Amino acid sequence: MNTFVKSNPREKLYSKKQRTKKNMNTDDCVIRAIVHATGIDYITVFNALLDLAKESTFLPNYEVNYGKYLESIGWVKRKPMRNGLGKTYEVRNFPAKPRGKYIILTTSHLTAIVNGKHMDSWNCGRWRANSYYERA
């Protein structure tokens, strides 16, 4: 079972006084998941996705953009893992390697598992882990 750790890399952009609910909840799950899994800083990921969005004319959180970005930094997309019953795993039960890093696609959300820790700003552990990205 992957342990949930509440984490929002966006917090580093604001002082404690500025960390309001409005500043922390920005529908940026794509950026957060990439930051958690890769260790690349928030602004770098954000700017790279914006550049790709300008080329594609789709918003930065579309897979056409983040998929291209992840591929460019050595990550590959994998088909969903299935349990013995043929069902996809819940994020909390995703069979992550102890030192593995994954970006999990759920229904309309991205989250990260890093070294057995499910890292996100909220717990989507009960959601189904569909396809996922891992370092090639």
Side-chain angles (χ1 to χ4, degrees):
M1 180 173 263
N2 300 302
T3 307
F4 175 70
V5 176
K6 186 172 183 167
S7 175
N8 188 346
R10 190 173 173 78
E11 289 177 347
K12 293 178 182 174
L13 303 175
Y14 296 94
S15 68
K16 284 189 179 185
K17 193 175 188 178
Q18 294 173 314
R19 292 180 197 162
T20 64
K21 191 172 185 178
K22 183 179 178 181
N23 287 344
M24 294 300 104
N25 293 331
T26 61
D27 297 326
D28 63 343
C29 67
V30 170
I31 300 167
R32 284 194 321 266
I34 293 172
V35 169
H36 282 127
T38 65
I40 300 170
D41 71 274
Y42 191 96
I43 296 296
T44 300
V45 173
F46 182 65
N47 284 331
L49 291 174
L50 282 176
D51 290 343
L52 290 168
K54 289 174 191 174
E55 291 174 19
S56 71
T57 69
F58 289 98
L59 294 173
N61 59 339
Y62 275 55
E63 191 169 6
V64 67
N65 295 317
Y66 70 77
K68 189 173 185 177
Y69 177 68
L70 287 168
E71 186 180 298
S72 76
I73 59 171
W75 288 65
V76 292
K77 186 176 182 180
R78 307 277 189 213
K79 292 182 179 182
M81 285 192 199
R82 299 191 180 273
N83 62 23
L85 301 173
K87 295 190 175 204
T88 55
Y89 288 93
E90 290 180 339
V91 170
R92 64 184 173 184
N93 295 322
F94 185 82
K97 296 174 190 166
R99 293 196 159 275
K101 295 180 181 186
Y102 307 89
I103 297 172
I104 310 289
L105 285 76
T106 66
T107 303
S108 70
H109 182 64
L110 261 67
T111 192
I113 296 176
V114 179
N115 302 329
K117 294 179 181 170
H118 170 210
M119 302 180 75
D120 207 335
S121 61
W122 63 282
N123 191 350
C124 64
R126 291 184 176 207
W127 288 28
R128 292 283 170 186
N130 296 320
S131 53
Y132 64 97
Y133 287 87
E134 69 179 336
R135 190 114 176 121

